[in-house]
PDB file of all heavy atoms in Angstrom:
ATOM      1  N   SER A 136      -6.144  24.622   6.840  1.00  0.00           N
ATOM      2  CA  SER A 136      -6.758  24.850   8.141  1.00  0.00           C
ATOM      3  C   SER A 136      -6.567  23.654   9.062  1.00  0.00           C
ATOM      4  O   SER A 136      -6.388  22.526   8.599  1.00  0.00           O
ATOM      5  CB  SER A 136      -8.275  25.112   7.961  1.00  0.00           C
ATOM      6  OG  SER A 136      -8.944  23.908   7.562  1.00  0.00           O
ATOM      7  N   ILE A 137      -6.580  23.939  10.335  1.00  0.00           N
ATOM      8  CA  ILE A 137      -6.402  22.886  11.361  1.00  0.00           C
ATOM      9  C   ILE A 137      -7.511  21.844  11.234  1.00  0.00           C
ATOM     10  O   ILE A 137      -7.236  20.625  11.347  1.00  0.00           O
ATOM     11  CB  ILE A 137      -6.424  23.492  12.769  1.00  0.00           C
ATOM     12  CG1 ILE A 137      -5.212  24.464  12.965  1.00  0.00           C
ATOM     13  CG2 ILE A 137      -6.372  22.394  13.821  1.00  0.00           C
ATOM     14  CD1 ILE A 137      -3.854  23.782  12.832  1.00  0.00           C
ATOM     15  N   ILE A 138      -8.714  22.302  10.930  1.00  0.00           N
ATOM     16  CA  ILE A 138      -9.870  21.352  10.813  1.00  0.00           C
ATOM     17  C   ILE A 138      -9.648  20.403   9.643  1.00  0.00           C
ATOM     18  O   ILE A 138      -9.847  19.199   9.747  1.00  0.00           O
ATOM     19  CB  ILE A 138     -11.203  22.145  10.604  1.00  0.00           C
ATOM     20  CG1 ILE A 138     -11.471  23.026  11.820  1.00  0.00           C
ATOM     21  CG2 ILE A 138     -12.350  21.170  10.346  1.00  0.00           C
ATOM     22  CD1 ILE A 138     -11.696  22.281  13.129  1.00  0.00           C
ATOM     23  N   SER A 139      -9.227  20.961   8.496  1.00  0.00           N
ATOM     24  CA  SER A 139      -8.932  20.143   7.310  1.00  0.00           C
ATOM     25  C   SER A 139      -7.855  19.130   7.587  1.00  0.00           C
ATOM     26  O   SER A 139      -7.960  17.941   7.232  1.00  0.00           O
ATOM     27  CB  SER A 139      -8.558  21.007   6.139  1.00  0.00           C
ATOM     28  OG  SER A 139      -9.613  21.838   5.725  1.00  0.00           O
ATOM     29  N   ALA A 140      -6.802  19.574   8.249  1.00  0.00           N
ATOM     30  CA  ALA A 140      -5.688  18.697   8.574  1.00  0.00           C
ATOM     31  C   ALA A 140      -6.124  17.582   9.529  1.00  0.00           C
ATOM     32  O   ALA A 140      -5.787  16.404   9.319  1.00  0.00           O
ATOM     33  CB  ALA A 140      -4.544  19.472   9.197  1.00  0.00           C
ATOM     34  N   LEU A 141      -6.934  17.942  10.531  1.00  0.00           N
ATOM     35  CA  LEU A 141      -7.416  16.949  11.527  1.00  0.00           C
ATOM     36  C   LEU A 141      -8.310  15.920  10.865  1.00  0.00           C
ATOM     37  O   LEU A 141      -8.143  14.720  11.094  1.00  0.00           O
ATOM     38  CB  LEU A 141      -8.149  17.728  12.639  1.00  0.00           C
ATOM     39  CG  LEU A 141      -8.592  16.838  13.814  1.00  0.00           C
ATOM     40  CD1 LEU A 141      -7.394  16.205  14.520  1.00  0.00           C
ATOM     41  CD2 LEU A 141      -9.400  17.681  14.801  1.00  0.00           C
ATOM     42  N   ILE A 142      -9.249  16.378  10.021  1.00  0.00           N
ATOM     43  CA  ILE A 142     -10.163  15.449   9.374  1.00  0.00           C
ATOM     44  C   ILE A 142      -9.376  14.496   8.433  1.00  0.00           C
ATOM     45  O   ILE A 142      -9.650  13.318   8.370  1.00  0.00           O
ATOM     46  CB  ILE A 142     -11.239  16.207   8.568  1.00  0.00           C
ATOM     47  CG1 ILE A 142     -12.163  16.952   9.512  1.00  0.00           C
ATOM     48  CG2 ILE A 142     -12.066  15.242   7.691  1.00  0.00           C
ATOM     49  CD1 ILE A 142     -13.137  17.899   8.830  1.00  0.00           C
ATOM     50  N   SER A 143      -8.376  15.047   7.734  1.00  0.00           N
ATOM     51  CA  SER A 143      -7.553  14.255   6.797  1.00  0.00           C
ATOM     52  C   SER A 143      -6.791  13.178   7.580  1.00  0.00           C
ATOM     53  O   SER A 143      -6.726  12.045   7.125  1.00  0.00           O
ATOM     54  CB  SER A 143      -6.548  15.154   6.068  1.00  0.00           C
ATOM     55  OG  SER A 143      -7.224  16.073   5.268  1.00  0.00           O
ATOM     56  N   VAL A 144      -6.242  13.547   8.708  1.00  0.00           N
ATOM     57  CA  VAL A 144      -5.503  12.577   9.545  1.00  0.00           C
ATOM     58  C   VAL A 144      -6.414  11.476  10.024  1.00  0.00           C
ATOM     59  O   VAL A 144      -6.073  10.279  10.020  1.00  0.00           O
ATOM     60  CB  VAL A 144      -4.789  13.291  10.702  1.00  0.00           C
ATOM     61  CG1 VAL A 144      -4.243  12.254  11.696  1.00  0.00           C
ATOM     62  CG2 VAL A 144      -3.673  14.178  10.202  1.00  0.00           C
ATOM     63  N   ILE A 145      -7.628  11.842  10.461  1.00  0.00           N
ATOM     64  CA  ILE A 145      -8.630  10.859  10.929  1.00  0.00           C
ATOM     65  C   ILE A 145      -8.993   9.924   9.802  1.00  0.00           C
ATOM     66  O   ILE A 145      -9.039   8.685   9.974  1.00  0.00           O
ATOM     67  CB  ILE A 145      -9.875  11.567  11.479  1.00  0.00           C
ATOM     68  CG1 ILE A 145      -9.538  12.284  12.799  1.00  0.00           C
ATOM     69  CG2 ILE A 145     -11.006  10.571  11.707  1.00  0.00           C
ATOM     70  CD1 ILE A 145     -10.643  13.201  13.310  1.00  0.00           C
ATOM     71  N   LEU A 146      -9.221  10.450   8.586  1.00  0.00           N
ATOM     72  CA  LEU A 146      -9.533   9.627   7.414  1.00  0.00           C
ATOM     73  C   LEU A 146      -8.356   8.686   7.117  1.00  0.00           C
ATOM     74  O   LEU A 146      -8.595   7.480   6.784  1.00  0.00           O
ATOM     75  CB  LEU A 146      -9.819  10.497   6.201  1.00  0.00           C
ATOM     76  CG  LEU A 146     -11.150  11.208   6.172  1.00  0.00           C
ATOM     77  CD1 LEU A 146     -11.165  12.260   5.067  1.00  0.00           C
ATOM     78  CD2 LEU A 146     -12.313  10.201   5.954  1.00  0.00           C
ATOM     79  N   TYR A 147      -7.141   9.161   7.212  1.00  0.00           N
ATOM     80  CA  TYR A 147      -5.964   8.386   6.945  1.00  0.00           C
ATOM     81  C   TYR A 147      -5.862   7.184   7.931  1.00  0.00           C
ATOM     82  O   TYR A 147      -5.648   6.034   7.512  1.00  0.00           O
ATOM     83  CB  TYR A 147      -4.735   9.244   7.041  1.00  0.00           C
ATOM     84  CG  TYR A 147      -3.416   8.516   6.917  1.00  0.00           C
ATOM     85  CD1 TYR A 147      -3.044   7.958   5.709  1.00  0.00           C
ATOM     86  CD2 TYR A 147      -2.557   8.429   8.003  1.00  0.00           C
ATOM     87  CE1 TYR A 147      -1.801   7.334   5.574  1.00  0.00           C
ATOM     88  CE2 TYR A 147      -1.319   7.766   7.881  1.00  0.00           C
ATOM     89  CZ  TYR A 147      -0.954   7.231   6.655  1.00  0.00           C
ATOM     90  OH  TYR A 147       0.249   6.555   6.569  1.00  0.00           O
ATOM     91  N   PHE A 148      -6.055   7.486   9.221  1.00  0.00           N
ATOM     92  CA  PHE A 148      -6.018   6.408  10.208  1.00  0.00           C
ATOM     93  C   PHE A 148      -7.221   5.453  10.080  1.00  0.00           C
ATOM     94  O   PHE A 148      -7.052   4.238  10.316  1.00  0.00           O
ATOM     95  CB  PHE A 148      -5.993   7.004  11.627  1.00  0.00           C
ATOM     96  CG  PHE A 148      -4.656   7.618  11.988  1.00  0.00           C
ATOM     97  CD1 PHE A 148      -4.615   8.763  12.747  1.00  0.00           C
ATOM     98  CD2 PHE A 148      -3.491   7.054  11.585  1.00  0.00           C
ATOM     99  CE1 PHE A 148      -3.373   9.353  13.079  1.00  0.00           C
ATOM    100  CE2 PHE A 148      -2.273   7.630  11.897  1.00  0.00           C
ATOM    101  CZ  PHE A 148      -2.211   8.782  12.648  1.00  0.00           C
ATOM    102  N   THR A 149      -8.354   5.965   9.677  1.00  0.00           N
ATOM    103  CA  THR A 149      -9.543   5.098   9.468  1.00  0.00           C
ATOM    104  C   THR A 149      -9.286   4.162   8.300  1.00  0.00           C
ATOM    105  O   THR A 149      -9.663   2.979   8.354  1.00  0.00           O
ATOM    106  CB  THR A 149     -10.800   5.966   9.185  1.00  0.00           C
ATOM    107  OG1 THR A 149     -10.978   6.898  10.261  1.00  0.00           O
ATOM    108  CG2 THR A 149     -12.055   5.066   9.091  1.00  0.00           C
TER     109      THR A 149
END
Side-chain angles (χ1 to χ4, degrees):
S136 70
I137 297 298
I138 298 298
S139 295
L141 185 61
I142 293 172
S143 297
V144 169
I145 291 170
L146 285 168
Y147 175 68
F148 287 143
T149 305

